[in-house]
Amino acid sequence: AKILALSVVTAIMAYSWRDTFVAESLRGAKVLVTGASTGIGEQMAYHYASFGAQIIITARRENVLKKVAEKCLELGAQKALYVPGDMSNTTDPEKVVKFAVEALGGLDYLVLNHIGPSPFAMWDGDVEHVRWLMQVNFLSYLQMTSSALPHLEKTGGSIVVVSSMLGKMCTPFVGPYTATKFSLSGFFGTLQHELAMQRKNVTVTICVLGLIDTQSAMDKIKGYTSMKAYPATDAALHIIKAGATRQRESFYPLYTYFGSLFRDWFPFLRDLFIQNSYNYEP
Ligand code: NDP
């Protein structure tokens, strides 16, 4: 009971940063959001716009980005530009950061959010897909970070990494995806230590999300599970606040915090629960 009470207090403390968020701090902020043509990235673009930020958005589909950028201007963005980029291509990550820094005259936030499509299915042995997905979901994040860091150091800026409960806990049907998210946790966790030890005024926020109701996620899990999905717009706002208040790690919704905390306590029961929460007949 004492441990449970302590965990609840810790959770409340972990969430208390919500009160410290000052919307005004984002007015005029120079922000690059990846994967912003749809889903959580698109919603983040709209929130940053409403806060009066200067935004660059990127993804592959130029026609969709154009519409998102137009809506951002309507919502109050000081600037909203788009740059198409394919993160499976090893030269585009650097090109996109360069575009953002030149267009904005610097950078305050690098928000890494994009993911490449990956099947929701048992692994079929396709190593090439894993290699490709590692470039899109992981290595391109490193390339963009490497290009952006000198500029973020000048502004005391932040890197915001959108990750998942699947970067903390193993579940079926998502082998390649979960591998990329675990990689992000490992790499950016190390970077947090190194930036702090070098006394660099750049923060890294890792966001751990549960199931969110984006079209792509809903299409994938259809028929497999009836787990509750949380609104993309709330997830997006949560991520922005976590970045703006320079959190190390942030959880949305709250169950992801408890899941991370207790995941190794009863491994047998955990795995039984996970395997029984999907509809699957071999
Ligand atoms: P979506 O599938 O809705 O959006 C993915 C975005 O990435 C799109 O803008 C897409 O645009 C872009 N993208 C895809 N491939 C590439 C590529 N090769 N190069 C550049 N951009 C690309 O994803 P969500 O909004 O659902 O997820 C956003 C983030 O949240 C991800 O990091 C995901 O892991 C995380 N998350 C989501 C959860 C959920 O349940 N939805 C749960 C936990 C974490 P385009 O096709 O135009 O390139």
Side-chain angles (χ1 to χ4, degrees), residues 8 10 15 19 28 51 81 87 101 109 120-121 131 139 152 172 174 179 190 199 213 215 227 234 270:
V8 172
T10 318
Y15 264 64
D19 298 333
F51 291 127
L81 300 172
M87 298 300 159
V101 170
Y109 290 96
F120 192 81
R131 204 188 309 278
L139 291 172
L152 293 169
V174 287
T190 289
R199 308 225 197 304
D213 67 358
Q215 193 62 50
M227 203 176 154
D234 292 358
R270 175 199 63 204

PDB file of all heavy atoms in Angstrom, residues 8 10 15 19 28 51 81 87 101 109 120-121 131 139 152 172 174 179 190 199 213 215 227 234 270:
ATOM      1  N   VAL A   8       1.656   6.953  -6.634  1.00  0.00           N
ATOM      2  CA  VAL A   8       0.636   7.948  -6.993  1.00  0.00           C
ATOM      3  C   VAL A   8       1.183   9.357  -6.784  1.00  0.00           C
ATOM      4  O   VAL A   8       1.036  10.236  -7.641  1.00  0.00           O
ATOM      5  CB  VAL A   8      -0.664   7.722  -6.164  1.00  0.00           C
ATOM      6  CG1 VAL A   8      -1.632   8.865  -6.382  1.00  0.00           C
ATOM      7  CG2 VAL A   8      -1.306   6.401  -6.544  1.00  0.00           C
ATOM      8  N   THR A  10       4.301  10.243  -6.850  1.00  0.00           N
ATOM      9  CA  THR A  10       5.301  10.494  -7.904  1.00  0.00           C
ATOM     10  C   THR A  10       4.611  10.877  -9.207  1.00  0.00           C
ATOM     11  O   THR A  10       5.055  11.786  -9.918  1.00  0.00           O
ATOM     12  CB  THR A  10       6.154   9.229  -8.152  1.00  0.00           C
ATOM     13  OG1 THR A  10       6.468   8.649  -6.904  1.00  0.00           O
ATOM     14  CG2 THR A  10       7.425   9.563  -8.893  1.00  0.00           C
ATOM     15  N   TYR A  15       3.238  15.028 -13.161  1.00  0.00           N
ATOM     16  CA  TYR A  15       2.250  15.765 -13.952  1.00  0.00           C
ATOM     17  C   TYR A  15       2.115  17.231 -13.543  1.00  0.00           C
ATOM     18  O   TYR A  15       1.444  17.998 -14.198  1.00  0.00           O
ATOM     19  CB  TYR A  15       0.891  15.055 -13.860  1.00  0.00           C
ATOM     20  CG  TYR A  15       0.683  14.147 -15.042  1.00  0.00           C
ATOM     21  CD1 TYR A  15       1.529  13.059 -15.240  1.00  0.00           C
ATOM     22  CD2 TYR A  15      -0.300  14.394 -15.983  1.00  0.00           C
ATOM     23  CE1 TYR A  15       1.387  12.239 -16.327  1.00  0.00           C
ATOM     24  CE2 TYR A  15      -0.455  13.568 -17.082  1.00  0.00           C
ATOM     25  CZ  TYR A  15       0.391  12.485 -17.247  1.00  0.00           C
ATOM     26  OH  TYR A  15       0.246  11.685 -18.342  1.00  0.00           O
ATOM     27  N   ASP A  19       1.077  22.889 -14.738  1.00  0.00           N
ATOM     28  CA  ASP A  19       0.791  24.217 -14.203  1.00  0.00           C
ATOM     29  C   ASP A  19       1.850  25.228 -14.603  1.00  0.00           C
ATOM     30  O   ASP A  19       1.614  26.419 -14.565  1.00  0.00           O
ATOM     31  CB  ASP A  19       0.715  24.162 -12.669  1.00  0.00           C
ATOM     32  CG  ASP A  19      -0.406  23.254 -12.220  1.00  0.00           C
ATOM     33  OD1 ASP A  19      -1.373  23.118 -12.995  1.00  0.00           O
ATOM     34  OD2 ASP A  19      -0.284  22.679 -11.139  1.00  0.00           O
ATOM     35  N   GLY A  28       6.228  33.388 -31.306  1.00  0.00           N
ATOM     36  CA  GLY A  28       7.431  33.693 -32.099  1.00  0.00           C
ATOM     37  C   GLY A  28       8.484  32.588 -32.068  1.00  0.00           C
ATOM     38  O   GLY A  28       9.517  32.700 -32.745  1.00  0.00           O
ATOM     39  N   PHE A  51      -0.506  29.184 -30.723  1.00  0.00           N
ATOM     40  CA  PHE A  51       0.341  29.871 -29.733  1.00  0.00           C
ATOM     41  C   PHE A  51       1.182  30.973 -30.387  1.00  0.00           C
ATOM     42  O   PHE A  51       2.003  31.606 -29.727  1.00  0.00           O
ATOM     43  CB  PHE A  51       1.264  28.881 -29.011  1.00  0.00           C
ATOM     44  CG  PHE A  51       0.531  27.926 -28.100  1.00  0.00           C
ATOM     45  CD1 PHE A  51       0.719  26.554 -28.206  1.00  0.00           C
ATOM     46  CD2 PHE A  51      -0.332  28.401 -27.121  1.00  0.00           C
ATOM     47  CE1 PHE A  51       0.045  25.667 -27.368  1.00  0.00           C
ATOM     48  CE2 PHE A  51      -1.007  27.527 -26.269  1.00  0.00           C
ATOM     49  CZ  PHE A  51      -0.824  26.154 -26.401  1.00  0.00           C
ATOM     50  N   LEU A  81       5.662  27.572 -43.038  1.00  0.00           N
ATOM     51  CA  LEU A  81       6.197  27.137 -44.327  1.00  0.00           C
ATOM     52  C   LEU A  81       6.311  25.624 -44.317  1.00  0.00           C
ATOM     53  O   LEU A  81       6.369  25.008 -43.246  1.00  0.00           O
ATOM     54  CB  LEU A  81       7.586  27.748 -44.556  1.00  0.00           C
ATOM     55  CG  LEU A  81       7.666  29.275 -44.581  1.00  0.00           C
ATOM     56  CD1 LEU A  81       9.124  29.719 -44.613  1.00  0.00           C
ATOM     57  CD2 LEU A  81       6.906  29.833 -45.784  1.00  0.00           C
ATOM     58  N   MET A  87      12.270  10.807 -45.310  1.00  0.00           N
ATOM     59  CA  MET A  87      13.272  10.453 -44.300  1.00  0.00           C
ATOM     60  C   MET A  87      13.878   9.068 -44.518  1.00  0.00           C
ATOM     61  O   MET A  87      14.753   8.656 -43.765  1.00  0.00           O
ATOM     62  CB  MET A  87      12.667  10.565 -42.895  1.00  0.00           C
ATOM     63  CG  MET A  87      12.230  11.969 -42.568  1.00  0.00           C
ATOM     64  SD  MET A  87      13.631  13.121 -42.631  1.00  0.00           S
ATOM     65  CE  MET A  87      12.784  14.672 -42.853  1.00  0.00           C
ATOM     66  N   VAL A 101      16.361  26.236 -40.631  1.00  0.00           N
ATOM     67  CA  VAL A 101      17.245  27.204 -39.977  1.00  0.00           C
ATOM     68  C   VAL A 101      17.376  28.466 -40.837  1.00  0.00           C
ATOM     69  O   VAL A 101      17.340  29.595 -40.323  1.00  0.00           O
ATOM     70  CB  VAL A 101      18.627  26.562 -39.701  1.00  0.00           C
ATOM     71  CG1 VAL A 101      19.642  27.603 -39.260  1.00  0.00           C
ATOM     72  CG2 VAL A 101      18.502  25.472 -38.649  1.00  0.00           C
ATOM     73  N   TYR A 109      12.899  24.775 -31.408  1.00  0.00           N
ATOM     74  CA  TYR A 109      12.377  23.421 -31.155  1.00  0.00           C
ATOM     75  C   TYR A 109      12.538  22.546 -32.386  1.00  0.00           C
ATOM     76  O   TYR A 109      12.106  22.925 -33.476  1.00  0.00           O
ATOM     77  CB  TYR A 109      10.882  23.462 -30.807  1.00  0.00           C
ATOM     78  CG  TYR A 109      10.587  24.072 -29.471  1.00  0.00           C
ATOM     79  CD1 TYR A 109      10.244  25.426 -29.379  1.00  0.00           C
ATOM     80  CD2 TYR A 109      10.634  23.314 -28.307  1.00  0.00           C
ATOM     81  CE1 TYR A 109       9.973  26.002 -28.145  1.00  0.00           C
ATOM     82  CE2 TYR A 109      10.362  23.886 -27.075  1.00  0.00           C
ATOM     83  CZ  TYR A 109      10.035  25.225 -27.003  1.00  0.00           C
ATOM     84  OH  TYR A 109       9.766  25.794 -25.776  1.00  0.00           O
ATOM     85  N   PHE A 120       1.099  -4.154 -39.165  1.00  0.00           N
ATOM     86  CA  PHE A 120       0.730  -4.628 -37.829  1.00  0.00           C
ATOM     87  C   PHE A 120       0.489  -6.120 -37.990  1.00  0.00           C
ATOM     88  O   PHE A 120      -0.608  -6.568 -38.323  1.00  0.00           O
ATOM     89  CB  PHE A 120      -0.529  -3.896 -37.356  1.00  0.00           C
ATOM     90  CG  PHE A 120      -0.835  -4.082 -35.900  1.00  0.00           C
ATOM     91  CD1 PHE A 120      -0.170  -3.332 -34.938  1.00  0.00           C
ATOM     92  CD2 PHE A 120      -1.774  -5.005 -35.471  1.00  0.00           C
ATOM     93  CE1 PHE A 120      -0.444  -3.492 -33.591  1.00  0.00           C
ATOM     94  CE2 PHE A 120      -2.050  -5.180 -34.121  1.00  0.00           C
ATOM     95  CZ  PHE A 120      -1.392  -4.417 -33.184  1.00  0.00           C
ATOM     96  N   ALA A 121       1.526  -6.910 -37.823  1.00  0.00           N
ATOM     97  CA  ALA A 121       1.460  -8.341 -38.100  1.00  0.00           C
ATOM     98  C   ALA A 121       2.643  -9.036 -37.450  1.00  0.00           C
ATOM     99  O   ALA A 121       3.625  -8.390 -37.084  1.00  0.00           O
ATOM    100  CB  ALA A 121       1.525  -8.565 -39.616  1.00  0.00           C
ATOM    101  N   ARG A 131      15.509  -2.703 -41.704  1.00  0.00           N
ATOM    102  CA  ARG A 131      16.626  -1.803 -42.038  1.00  0.00           C
ATOM    103  C   ARG A 131      16.073  -0.457 -42.555  1.00  0.00           C
ATOM    104  O   ARG A 131      16.514   0.608 -42.142  1.00  0.00           O
ATOM    105  CB  ARG A 131      17.505  -2.447 -43.122  1.00  0.00           C
ATOM    106  CG  ARG A 131      18.933  -1.925 -43.140  1.00  0.00           C
ATOM    107  CD  ARG A 131      19.713  -2.446 -44.335  1.00  0.00           C
ATOM    108  NE  ARG A 131      19.691  -3.880 -44.541  1.00  0.00           N
ATOM    109  CZ  ARG A 131      20.465  -4.757 -43.910  1.00  0.00           C
ATOM    110  NH1 ARG A 131      21.341  -4.337 -43.037  1.00  0.00           N
ATOM    111  NH2 ARG A 131      20.375  -6.044 -44.167  1.00  0.00           N
ATOM    112  N   LEU A 139      17.334   6.506 -37.586  1.00  0.00           N
ATOM    113  CA  LEU A 139      18.555   7.170 -38.052  1.00  0.00           C
ATOM    114  C   LEU A 139      18.292   8.593 -38.550  1.00  0.00           C
ATOM    115  O   LEU A 139      19.109   9.494 -38.340  1.00  0.00           O
ATOM    116  CB  LEU A 139      19.228   6.329 -39.151  1.00  0.00           C
ATOM    117  CG  LEU A 139      19.816   5.013 -38.645  1.00  0.00           C
ATOM    118  CD1 LEU A 139      20.283   4.137 -39.807  1.00  0.00           C
ATOM    119  CD2 LEU A 139      20.981   5.269 -37.691  1.00  0.00           C
ATOM    120  N   LEU A 152      20.524  24.795 -31.997  1.00  0.00           N
ATOM    121  CA  LEU A 152      19.780  24.738 -30.733  1.00  0.00           C
ATOM    122  C   LEU A 152      20.653  25.233 -29.574  1.00  0.00           C
ATOM    123  O   LEU A 152      20.159  25.828 -28.614  1.00  0.00           O
ATOM    124  CB  LEU A 152      19.300  23.301 -30.464  1.00  0.00           C
ATOM    125  CG  LEU A 152      18.240  22.778 -31.444  1.00  0.00           C
ATOM    126  CD1 LEU A 152      18.023  21.277 -31.269  1.00  0.00           C
ATOM    127  CD2 LEU A 152      16.919  23.518 -31.269  1.00  0.00           C
ATOM    128  N   PRO A 172       3.060  -7.972 -29.106  1.00  0.00           N
ATOM    129  CA  PRO A 172       3.132  -8.649 -30.408  1.00  0.00           C
ATOM    130  C   PRO A 172       2.743  -7.751 -31.577  1.00  0.00           C
ATOM    131  O   PRO A 172       2.156  -6.683 -31.366  1.00  0.00           O
ATOM    132  CB  PRO A 172       2.115  -9.787 -30.254  1.00  0.00           C
ATOM    133  CG  PRO A 172       1.171  -9.324 -29.202  1.00  0.00           C
ATOM    134  CD  PRO A 172       1.933  -8.430 -28.285  1.00  0.00           C
ATOM    135  N   VAL A 174       4.373  -5.872 -33.673  1.00  0.00           N
ATOM    136  CA  VAL A 174       5.007  -4.581 -33.969  1.00  0.00           C
ATOM    137  C   VAL A 174       6.538  -4.655 -33.919  1.00  0.00           C
ATOM    138  O   VAL A 174       7.190  -3.657 -33.583  1.00  0.00           O
ATOM    139  CB  VAL A 174       4.514  -3.485 -32.986  1.00  0.00           C
ATOM    140  CG1 VAL A 174       3.099  -3.066 -33.289  1.00  0.00           C
ATOM    141  CG2 VAL A 174       4.647  -3.962 -31.537  1.00  0.00           C
ATOM    142  N   ALA A 179      11.262  -1.929 -32.369  1.00  0.00           N
ATOM    143  CA  ALA A 179      12.740  -1.878 -32.386  1.00  0.00           C
ATOM    144  C   ALA A 179      13.204  -0.436 -32.583  1.00  0.00           C
ATOM    145  O   ALA A 179      14.152   0.025 -31.938  1.00  0.00           O
ATOM    146  CB  ALA A 179      13.278  -2.768 -33.502  1.00  0.00           C
ATOM    147  N   THR A 190      20.725   8.553 -23.621  1.00  0.00           N
ATOM    148  CA  THR A 190      22.172   8.812 -23.512  1.00  0.00           C
ATOM    149  C   THR A 190      22.473  10.279 -23.804  1.00  0.00           C
ATOM    150  O   THR A 190      23.248  10.934 -23.090  1.00  0.00           O
ATOM    151  CB  THR A 190      22.932   7.913 -24.521  1.00  0.00           C
ATOM    152  OG1 THR A 190      22.866   6.577 -24.057  1.00  0.00           O
ATOM    153  CG2 THR A 190      24.389   8.322 -24.662  1.00  0.00           C
ATOM    154  N   ARG A 199      27.163  20.463 -19.781  1.00  0.00           N
ATOM    155  CA  ARG A 199      26.522  21.730 -19.392  1.00  0.00           C
ATOM    156  C   ARG A 199      26.022  22.511 -20.604  1.00  0.00           C
ATOM    157  O   ARG A 199      26.163  23.738 -20.670  1.00  0.00           O
ATOM    158  CB  ARG A 199      27.471  22.610 -18.573  1.00  0.00           C
ATOM    159  CG  ARG A 199      28.087  21.907 -17.386  1.00  0.00           C
ATOM    160  CD  ARG A 199      28.057  22.742 -16.133  1.00  0.00           C
ATOM    161  NE  ARG A 199      28.949  22.307 -15.090  1.00  0.00           N
ATOM    162  CZ  ARG A 199      28.996  21.102 -14.535  1.00  0.00           C
ATOM    163  NH1 ARG A 199      28.219  20.150 -14.983  1.00  0.00           N
ATOM    164  NH2 ARG A 199      29.810  20.833 -13.544  1.00  0.00           N
ATOM    165  N   ASP A 213      -5.826   8.145 -31.309  1.00  0.00           N
ATOM    166  CA  ASP A 213      -6.831   7.855 -32.347  1.00  0.00           C
ATOM    167  C   ASP A 213      -6.517   8.406 -33.746  1.00  0.00           C
ATOM    168  O   ASP A 213      -7.420   8.880 -34.432  1.00  0.00           O
ATOM    169  CB  ASP A 213      -8.207   8.359 -31.890  1.00  0.00           C
ATOM    170  CG  ASP A 213      -8.271   9.882 -31.807  1.00  0.00           C
ATOM    171  OD1 ASP A 213      -7.254  10.552 -32.067  1.00  0.00           O
ATOM    172  OD2 ASP A 213      -9.361  10.410 -31.496  1.00  0.00           O
ATOM    173  N   GLN A 215      -5.740   8.192 -37.750  1.00  0.00           N
ATOM    174  CA  GLN A 215      -6.292   7.281 -38.764  1.00  0.00           C
ATOM    175  C   GLN A 215      -5.389   6.066 -38.962  1.00  0.00           C
ATOM    176  O   GLN A 215      -5.853   4.921 -39.003  1.00  0.00           O
ATOM    177  CB  GLN A 215      -6.458   8.054 -40.087  1.00  0.00           C
ATOM    178  CG  GLN A 215      -7.295   7.333 -41.116  1.00  0.00           C
ATOM    179  CD  GLN A 215      -8.724   7.091 -40.642  1.00  0.00           C
ATOM    180  OE1 GLN A 215      -9.393   8.005 -40.184  1.00  0.00           O
ATOM    181  NE2 GLN A 215      -9.175   5.846 -40.714  1.00  0.00           N
ATOM    182  N   MET A 227      -8.889  -1.815 -27.354  1.00  0.00           N
ATOM    183  CA  MET A 227      -8.274  -0.886 -26.400  1.00  0.00           C
ATOM    184  C   MET A 227      -8.716   0.546 -26.679  1.00  0.00           C
ATOM    185  O   MET A 227      -8.867   0.926 -27.835  1.00  0.00           O
ATOM    186  CB  MET A 227      -6.763  -0.997 -26.619  1.00  0.00           C
ATOM    187  CG  MET A 227      -5.939  -0.595 -25.471  1.00  0.00           C
ATOM    188  SD  MET A 227      -4.221  -0.930 -25.948  1.00  0.00           S
ATOM    189  CE  MET A 227      -3.438   0.255 -24.901  1.00  0.00           C
ATOM    190  N   ASP A 234      -5.240  16.129 -28.024  1.00  0.00           N
ATOM    191  CA  ASP A 234      -4.780  16.210 -26.622  1.00  0.00           C
ATOM    192  C   ASP A 234      -3.340  15.700 -26.502  1.00  0.00           C
ATOM    193  O   ASP A 234      -2.526  16.268 -25.763  1.00  0.00           O
ATOM    194  CB  ASP A 234      -5.684  15.369 -25.706  1.00  0.00           C
ATOM    195  CG  ASP A 234      -7.083  15.953 -25.590  1.00  0.00           C
ATOM    196  OD1 ASP A 234      -7.333  17.013 -26.188  1.00  0.00           O
ATOM    197  OD2 ASP A 234      -7.941  15.331 -24.927  1.00  0.00           O
ATOM    198  N   ARG A 270       2.136  -9.911 -16.618  1.00  0.00           N
ATOM    199  CA  ARG A 270       2.166  -8.870 -17.660  1.00  0.00           C
ATOM    200  C   ARG A 270       2.032  -9.509 -19.040  1.00  0.00           C
ATOM    201  O   ARG A 270       1.193  -9.107 -19.847  1.00  0.00           O
ATOM    202  CB  ARG A 270       3.495  -8.094 -17.564  1.00  0.00           C
ATOM    203  CG  ARG A 270       3.696  -7.068 -18.662  1.00  0.00           C
ATOM    204  CD  ARG A 270       5.165  -6.698 -18.796  1.00  0.00           C
ATOM    205  NE  ARG A 270       5.983  -7.842 -19.180  1.00  0.00           N
ATOM    206  CZ  ARG A 270       7.284  -7.964 -18.944  1.00  0.00           C
ATOM    207  NH1 ARG A 270       7.930  -7.016 -18.312  1.00  0.00           N
ATOM    208  NH2 ARG A 270       7.945  -9.049 -19.322  1.00  0.00           N
TER     209      ARG A 270
END
